[in-house]
Amino acid sequence: MKPQSYQDDRIYLLQMKINDRKGSWIPIPYFFFVVLFSLGFYTGANGQTPTSSCANSNFSLGDFTNWTGCCGDWNNQFPPPCNNPNQPWINSPNGGHYQIIPAPGAPDNFVTVINSVFPGEAYSALIGKHQVNNGGGSIDQLTYPMVIGSDNQFFIYRCAVVLGGIYDATHNTADKRPRFTIEIKDHVTGVLLDPLCGFFDVYPGDGQPGWDSLGEGTSKLIFKNWNTVGIDLSQMTVLGQTIDVVFTVHGCSYSAHTGYAYISTTCGSMNIDLAGCEGSGFVTLSGPPGFAEYKWQGPFCPDPILCPTPAPIFYGQSVTINTAQGAVSGNLFDLTLTASNGCFVKHVQQLVAFTSVDANFSSVINCVGNSSSFTDISTSTNQSQPIVKRRWRFDTDSAFTAVTTNATITHTYNVIGPHVVTIESLSQDSCMGTITDTVNVGPPPMFINLPPGPEKPICSGDKAAITLAFTQTGADATWTYQITSGTPVIHKNPVNQSGLTINDTIVNIGPGDAVVTYTITPRIGDCTGVDTTFQVTVHPLPVPLISGFATVCAGANDVSYSTETGKSNYAWVVSSGGIITSGQGSDSILVTWNAAGMQTVSANYTDANGCDAMAPTVINVTVNPVPTANSVGNQVLCHNAQTSVVSFSGSVPGTVYNWANSNTSIGLGAGGSGAVPSFTATNTSFVPVTAIITVTPVYTNAGVTCTGTSTSFNITVNPIPTITPVTNQVLCHNTQTNLITFAGSVQGTVFNWTNSQPSIGIAAGGSGDISVFTATNTSTNPVTATITVTPQFTNAGTTCGGTPTFFTITVNPIPVVNPITSQVLCHNSPTSQVSISGNVPGTVYNWVNSNASIGLAASGSGTIPSFTATNTSFVPVTATITVTPVFNNAGPTCTGTPVAITITVNPIPTINPVNNQVLCHNTQTTLVSFIGDVQGTVFNWTNSQPSIGIAASGTGDISAFTVTNTTTTPITATITVTPQF
């Protein structure tokens, strides 16, 4: 049934299934979605907002727990909104971007008709710059993530929005005017879950319906007062899905016009019982306000086969039905909502459930004149409609008390005897149950006999045994004992006891005697009788004081400990790490501590009151261990090498290791504490230098320092060896080198060398001096061997290498002359040019001529040019040309084997004149002999007329022959003689 007082801000939670929608949602210029329900959870007669199923979605904690927020700036960087790291989350009441506002809130500074907190809510949140102008440019966003479950599928948000109202040609895009959006997105993908139901966007524009305005021009504000919107998340999500509900507000990008909003959200399940009181016979079906049409059908049956006849239909926001029409617990009524724009929601189902109240109460009854308490324990058969109010009446002749929401109240009876109690309990939907019962009120108890007087003093920790003698009045009376004292005490038994005997073990924790007062009080419930008191004096137990060294080093002898003098029965005990050497039974002892660790000394005695300490006084004695230092290995390094860090260790954690250095020239300070850091070792001398590092372990604890046995190690720094420069050598092939000796500044240096050209006649490497050897170079070019000499000095297993030095041995090749052809020429003939070459580039070829008469100089160098050979003698002339190859490189001259050629110049032969002969046919000629100047000349002749009787040609003399001429005329034969040599 409908609550007795229906308010606009109340919300009815309905089970809702949206199977279909028609048309679009609300167009952009409108402010809210179609309101599925004004909906919500039934809030009771006072209209209080229920607790949300989404933790702190309604800011009930007074903070932003479970919310995330961010700020941006249109003019900072794009895209917004969360783009400005200089605008963090702000929760400040002065100019901040977010603010939690507690109830009851206050009128908005600029739009006073808007209250900053929704009626009935405990808090709201302000988002955005809260100012009229100069609030633009800022973009602010609040996000509430939630996991969809069966208890939060119905989501409600409330908001009141204020936007700068400017709308002109310069403010015609989304980023250039104030704006407010609500988006429901998938948490993982960021995709809108429903562009129609899960998205809302509003910005100022002329003529928007449902908006109010304030001011004019650039100071104009348009605003929407608080509205409530409900959304069925089951239509756009699945169970277990995480979504984000995102609220964004901003001013215009020109940084002038404002945009801000007040928001609050809540959520719950999709189930609702429409309750009525058991036996009433009717129930009112009530739909959310604001829809154009409400169509009810029921009792609703979803299966057309089981229910072939359609259920009756009712119209109207509120419809009252009776039992005959289906007002029976368990029946469903189906509601279809149609909005003014044509959108509708189908199958909003309401379940009928009647409420029955089983009234009952419990009580604690005290004696007459004392307050008794009464507690309502009534129950409702409908869990969604709990007991919220009750009325009480005490005795039949009294009036009912005012209605109270508290389950427990108190009442004082002034008359002994039975009394009648009546309670009327009301459920949240105003269904009532009544019960009447009787309670008995008795008289207070009384003492007749009192306990004995004060008892003897006791020591702290002893038992005070007190026997009470009394009688009681009243059948239900009991007796309790209150114990008080002027000095702090501890009671080993409970303070309040019942019975005839008090057995109280008392511990006096004060500095002096404690007087404990027992107050005996008879009681019946909270009803008390006449008190009686008596006292017990409790001596404190002594606490021996021990003085002496609280911290010592292991092995300490005759360490003194003492306690107060003038006591008796002194008893000392030390733990196993120590031995009492003297003083047992007196007020002081001497102890030798042998074992490190936490040890103890305890003392006890009996004081003048005869009281022993409850336990011996024990003091802790810290026996510090004597630290040790583990051995550290020596280091041997070369000059300018980096040492290893020397870390010290020992048997005692926390030991400090102090060290001293005997020789600071190595690059280490004279002393320090802790690890010896890595440093560059130095030694500029020519002999090894050793520093002795002495390490002393020191352990300090509780102000006492214990020093262990020192240990030492060495750091030896070897010098860097050097080498005296070595002179380079240049030699010819097959000549002896000079002895090469190495020397340096550091005695004992070993000189290792490498040879880049073993072909010159020495090995590729070696150590020590290089002996004389025959240098070789069979190539045609100079060969230079680079000898790299590295000085090394070894000491204590560490070898130090000096800077290598280099020198060269160059072996020049022996030049060779390539073969040269000799020449034989005739006098006055030109010679061929004599080109001289060899195997070694750069060779100079010197030549000597044995016979300058042929026309060639006696000596020269290089090519012998062509010249005219001469020989005016009558015999051949031969000149021997001796060519010597010479190669010079870097100093020495290398001479090759000489090569000789000849140039022979033959003389020009001659012939003595020969007499002509005239003969007759068939007569003998005279012997013709040829003679010339050059011996050995050959005379070749030709005959122009072989017909005379001799050949046409021949050589040598012409013997006598018979001439012939058979012609009729003389014949002349011309003999031409050519001398040849």
Side-chain angles (χ1 to χ4, degrees), residues 336-348:
T336 299
L337 302 170
T338 303
S340 58
N341 68 339
C343 294
F344 53 83
V345 180
K346 290 184 177 181
H347 302 309
V348 179

Side-chain angles (χ1 to χ4, degrees), residues 302-327:
D303 191 340
I305 296 177
L306 297 177
C307 308
T309 302
I313 295 176
F314 311 91
Y315 292 93
Q317 179 183 353
S318 297
V319 177
T320 301
I321 59 173
N322 56 31
T323 302
Q325 293 171 311

Side-chain angles (χ1 to χ4, degrees), residues 152 164 170 264-265 405 648 672 703 719 786 822 853 902-903:
N152 63 2
T170 63
S264 178
T265 68
T405 58
F648 303 117
T786 300
S822 296
S853 68
T902 60
I903 297 178

Side-chain angles (χ1 to χ4, degrees), residues 146 186 253 383 768:
M146 56 186 289
D186 181 83
S253 63
Q383 293 183 357

Side-chain angles (χ1 to χ4, degrees), residues 6 55 159 278 295 381 431 808 817 859:
Y6 184 91
C159 50
E278 190 69 45
K295 178 182 177 181
T381 58
C431 298
T808 60
V817 179
S859 65

Side-chain angles (χ1 to χ4, degrees), residues 929-952:
S929 297
F930 300 120
I931 300 172
D933 296 331
V934 178
Q935 187 178 358
T937 298
V938 174
F939 299 98
N940 296 312
W941 51 263
T942 60
N943 172 23
S944 65
Q945 287 291 340
S947 65
I948 70 170
I950 58 174

